Amino acid sequence: METNVQRDEEIEINLKELFFYFLGKAGYIIGAGAALAALALAVTVFFITPKYTSTTSMYVLNRQTAESITNSDLQSSTYLTQDYMELIKSRTVVEAVIANLNLDQTYESVLEAMSVSAQSDTRIISIRITDRDPYLARDIANAIRMAAAAQIQQVMNTEAVNVVDEADIPTVKSSPSIRKNVLVAGFLGIFLAAAWFTVLFLLNDKVINAEDVERYLGLSILGQMPLNEEEIKAKKKRKKAKRK
């Protein structure tokens, strides 16, 4: 029991010393976080090209007649939504858009810039295009919607593919996020600096005071020599230098 108590006391003393050690290095730790955050800000603003996302959406029904639309039509359209989404991303649709807009892009690059999604239990499909040029993002999104509508009607024998929203010109960039990059870089700088000083603290095996003699050498201190004023001043200077 006594051994366990002693170990707990030693761990508590080490953590306490580490805490005060961090207090002495707080300026360096905060400075590292601020420096990395400033670097992330500069890189984000001056070296990363902003991108814009334009969105269009359409409503697909499996069958539409002049008489009525049954629940069976609606349910069938919901089940086929995944098929519609795959047709939107098909090579036939994308390459038709590339040809119509005379794009200097490949099928793979357009597909990478495109995101197709559908809300759960709905037949509304959204098409998002992200590009450096907001006008081009709008044009590609609208062109894909029109080409996809024709392809869906032809392949799936669907009579109704209606426009819900046409793509507009995005005015707010979708990436990069300056706030996110700065916060992540700041916390990363603080973490790395704290980790570095933790390693230095753990590797420091110097005997500085009487407590260190008892802890590391297992020897009891019988007495201490009093320090004169010059030695006290020198000791204070060493402590200040060590904190820096």
Side-chain angles (χ1 to χ4, degrees), residues 7-226:
R7 289 178 180 175
D8 292 340
E9 291 177 355
E10 289 179 2
I11 294 174
E12 183 179 355
I13 292 174
N14 289 337
L15 293 176
K16 189 181 297 184
E17 289 181 357
L18 182 60
F19 173 75
F20 286 106
Y21 180 75
F22 278 159
L23 286 181
K25 304 296 183 180
Y28 292 99
I29 296 175
I30 295 175
L36 208 57
L39 179 62
L41 176 62
V43 171
T44 302
V45 173
F46 296 108
F47 296 99
I48 299 180
T49 303
K51 293 185 177 181
Y52 300 85
T53 299
S54 184
T55 304
T56 183
S57 57
M58 58 186 184
Y59 184 83
V60 183
L61 281 177
N62 190 38
R63 180 175 176 272
Q64 184 176 9
T65 65
E67 298 177 356
S68 63
I69 300 174
T70 65
N71 290 332
S72 177
D73 295 333
L74 296 175
Q75 188 175 13
S76 176
S77 296
T78 302
Y79 292 151
L80 293 173
T81 298
Q82 293 297 325
D83 295 339
Y84 300 146
M85 292 170 62
E86 290 302 318
L87 286 174
I88 293 172
K89 295 184 290 184
S90 66
R91 184 176 293 274
T92 302
V93 171
V94 174
E95 289 184 347
V97 171
I98 294 175
N100 292 337
L101 297 180
N102 195 23
L103 299 177
D104 186 19
Q105 299 185 37
T106 63
Y107 164 76
E108 288 76 14
S109 62
V110 175
L111 195 64
E112 184 179 356
M114 179 170 55
S115 173
V116 182
S117 62
Q119 294 291 335
S120 178
D121 298 328
T122 70
R123 291 152 300 282
I124 298 178
I125 301 175
S126 297
I127 303 170
R128 296 177 179 85
I129 296 294
T130 301
D131 194 88
R132 298 177 180 180
D133 185 349
Y135 294 92
L136 184 58
R138 177 203 59 182
D139 293 342
I140 295 176
N142 283 329
I144 287 179
R145 187 198 68 244
M146 291 186 291
Q151 183 72 355
I152 290 173
Q153 288 176 330
Q154 179 180 353
V155 174
M156 304 295 295
N157 195 24
T158 301
E159 297 181 5
V161 181
N162 301 323
V163 178
V164 177
D165 287 315
E166 290 192 359
D168 56 358
I169 301 173
T171 57
V172 179
K173 61 183 180 182
S174 56
S175 66
S177 174
I178 296 178
R179 181 179 181 182
K180 178 181 178 181
N181 290 352
V182 169
L183 288 176
V184 171
F187 283 115
L188 180 61
I190 291 175
F191 173 78
L192 292 177
W196 171 253
F197 285 119
T198 301
V199 172
L200 293 180
F201 176 82
L202 295 176
L203 294 179
N204 184 15
D205 56 357
K206 294 180 180 179
V207 177
I208 299 175
N209 49 40
E211 289 77 9
D212 292 341
V213 173
E214 294 180 355
R215 181 186 306 138
Y216 299 122
L217 302 180
L219 301 176
S220 300
I221 303 299
L222 299 179
Q224 297 182 0
M225 295 292 294

